[in-house]
Amino acid sequence: MKSAFIFVIAIALLPAQAAVAAATTPVNEMSQAAIQSAFQVLRRDYIRREDLTFTEINRAALEGLLARLNFGAEFVRQSKDVAAPAARLISDTLTPSIGYLRPTTCQLAEVVMMESKLKEFAQAGLSHLILDLRSPAIPGEFEVSAAMLELFVPEGRVLFKLRQMGNEQAQLFLSKRVPLWTSSLIVLTDADTNNVAEVVAAVLRDQRRALLIGSPTRGATVRYETVPVDEGWLLRFASAEMLLPDDDSVFRKGLTPDLRVLLESKKKLAIFSQIAVGPVKQSAIEKQRPRFNESALVHGNNPELDDYVRRSNGQSITGDDQTPRDLVLQRAMDMLSSQDHLEATTLRWKTLPAGNNDKAEVKRAEPAKK
């Protein structure tokens, strides 16, 4: 029993890092005998050995274990006064061809809202969708992931598997309905993407239904179980793992976006707070400063000179009040707008003799019939 106890204590001395990072620490290179010897020396000869009580050692051991498990386990304070966050779906039409959806809590009620909005987008003739999965939310259930995926994945396909601890037989999640959205799809992700949303992003890319833009996710693709440990605290820990149809796991590896665009979480949350009372597009479309152009010349003014004078006098000028821009959303919109432009334009390069300065023939393509 003493030997096993000291083995647990050894975990506690690791720094608060994930297990992968901790693999390079000296403790991981030591033998079991060396670890036990180190603790016996500390218990006997440490300058303040009276501080190494069994309670303190056990606290350190548990703290070190949680540090190793990272987001695989954590303590959550019990509170009867904190209400569950209300389901809310942020939606907008960014351009005549691009729709936007952002579930904020990843609850089943939001899937119903998404279904309604997708029908509206389809009826309005929108051809692109941006699904924003960057909202921080508490861990949820994979049944919500499956319901959300069924809006995009063809009927009858295996979405993912769920492997429960101690159960060799994995639970299969299948798409059981005709998808509502089959046009182009871009998914936005980052480290705040919770387990439900991360499963959605992983499966959509695995099914080749979406491109991912943003920053890497954490790899928290696990189902959590929560149990009380005393009157004040709950222990939330991973009890089941999501696997893709080919048994590939995303746990701890996360998802690397197809196009990486970095945006600090603090800045992103400020933008989300700002658009809570206004249209989403205002966070992606920048206000242009007036310039000295042909129109200004005709009207006999020079806005750039006027701005220079105001700035010299310590006054604000047009554009100083611009709110922070959502760079990730901007890049997604740029990509889709460029796609529309390229698909609507046909370039026919003529074979010309040397020295001929004729330009290429550019024709607008006929709009695609729906």
Side-chain angles (χ1 to χ4, degrees):
M1 289 298 295
K2 184 176 181 181
S3 174
F5 177 70
I6 294 178
F7 175 78
V8 174
I9 296 174
I11 300 176
L13 290 189
L14 290 171
Q17 301 173 352
V20 175
T24 58
T25 63
V27 174
N28 287 281
E29 300 176 6
M30 294 181 182
S31 65
Q32 180 65 20
I35 294 173
Q36 293 179 11
S37 177
F39 270 96
Q40 289 169 359
V41 169
L42 290 174
R43 287 277 294 165
R44 185 185 65 242
D45 299 330
Y46 177 60
I47 188 173
R48 292 186 177 179
R49 64 182 182 182
E50 65 275 7
D51 293 342
L52 300 181
T53 64
F54 286 111
T55 299
E56 184 63 23
I57 291 173
N58 285 334
R59 290 181 188 276
L62 183 55
E63 186 177 36
L65 179 60
L66 292 177
R68 279 202 169 215
L69 297 180
N70 199 1
F71 49 79
E74 62 181 343
F75 283 111
V76 182
R77 188 181 294 276
Q78 291 200 56
S79 178
K80 298 179 180 179
D81 300 329
V82 179
R88 187 185 180 197
L89 178 69
I90 307 298
S91 64
D92 197 4
T93 302
L94 304 178
T95 72
S97 64
I98 303 175
Y100 173 92
L101 295 177
R102 175 165 64 86
T104 59
T105 63
C106 292
Q107 299 181 50
L108 200 56
E110 290 173 352
V111 179
V112 178
M113 300 176 193
M114 289 176 61
E115 182 174 352
S116 176
K117 279 296 178 180
L118 288 175
K119 290 178 180 178
E120 289 183 20
F121 289 163
Q123 292 173 358
L126 274 63
S127 52
H128 308 293
L129 177 68
I130 297 176
L131 179 60
D132 193 343
L133 300 180
R134 296 175 296 160
S135 289
I138 62 174
E141 298 297 329
F142 287 169
E143 286 75 12
V144 179
S145 301
M148 197 177 295
L149 284 164
E150 286 181 331
L151 301 176
F152 306 101
V153 178
E155 184 179 11
R157 289 194 182 179
V158 176
L159 300 173
F160 58 88
K161 306 174 185 178
L162 187 63
R163 184 173 61 192
Q164 189 80 25
M165 180 64 183
N167 191 344
E168 296 182 0
Q169 200 69 18
Q171 178 185 356
L172 293 181
F173 285 81
L174 304 174
S175 179
K176 301 176 182 178
R177 58 176 293 179
V178 176
L180 289 178
W181 187 265
T182 57
S183 300
S184 66
L185 176 63
I186 284 182
V187 174
L188 309 185
T189 64
D190 64 11
D192 288 335
T193 302
N194 82 333
N195 65 331
V196 170
E198 192 170 3
V199 168
V200 172
V203 173
L204 287 176
R205 183 160 72 174
D206 183 65
Q207 299 275 353
R208 300 186 182 277
R209 282 291 294 115
L211 288 176
L212 270 54
I213 295 180
S215 53
T217 60
R218 296 186 303 160
T221 50
V222 291
R223 167 178 281 172
Y224 289 93
E225 184 176 344
T226 304
V227 297
V229 292
D230 64 17
E231 294 181 356
W233 291 95
L234 303 169
L235 176 62
R236 178 191 292 158
F237 62 95
S239 62
E241 179 182 6
M242 185 279 293
L243 301 175
L244 293 171
D246 60 358
D247 289 333
D248 188 23
S249 173
V250 185
F251 183 49
R252 292 196 181 277
K253 295 187 293 185
L255 303 170
T256 301
D258 302 293
L259 175 62
R260 295 187 64 161
V261 184
L262 300 180
L263 179 65
E264 293 181 3
S265 179
K266 184 177 180 180
K267 185 175 182 180
K268 178 199 66 178
L269 295 179
I271 294 171
F272 284 177
S273 177
Q274 149 202 312
I275 63 178
V277 293
V280 176
K281 67 181 69 175
Q282 74 180 14
S283 68
I285 300 175
E286 299 185 19
K287 299 177 183 177
Q288 293 187 356
R289 296 184 186 274
R291 300 296 183 185
F292 183 61
N293 51 22
E294 185 176 351
S295 175
L297 182 62
V298 170
H299 291 85
N301 57 44
N302 186 342
E304 295 185 34
L305 180 59
D306 295 339
D307 285 350
Y308 177 79
V309 173
R310 290 179 62 85
R311 182 72 80 195
S312 299
N313 293 330
Q315 298 174 314
S316 62
I317 63 176
T318 303
D320 281 354
D321 60 344
Q322 290 211 59
T323 53
R325 300 296 99 187
D326 189 339
L327 299 179
V328 182
L329 181 57
Q330 280 185 329
R331 297 295 83 79
M333 292 179 64
D334 290 344
M335 178 179 291
L336 293 174
S337 298
S338 299
Q339 177 184 339
D340 284 343
H341 177 74
L342 291 174
E343 289 180 349
T345 304
T346 302
L347 292 176
R348 298 178 181 175
W349 298 99
K350 297 178 180 179
T351 303
L352 302 174
N356 193 320
N357 294 324
D358 287 351
K359 296 181 179 179
E361 179 183 0
V362 180
K363 292 188 177 183
R364 300 295 295 179
E366 294 294 330
K369 296 182 179 180
K370 296 185 178 180

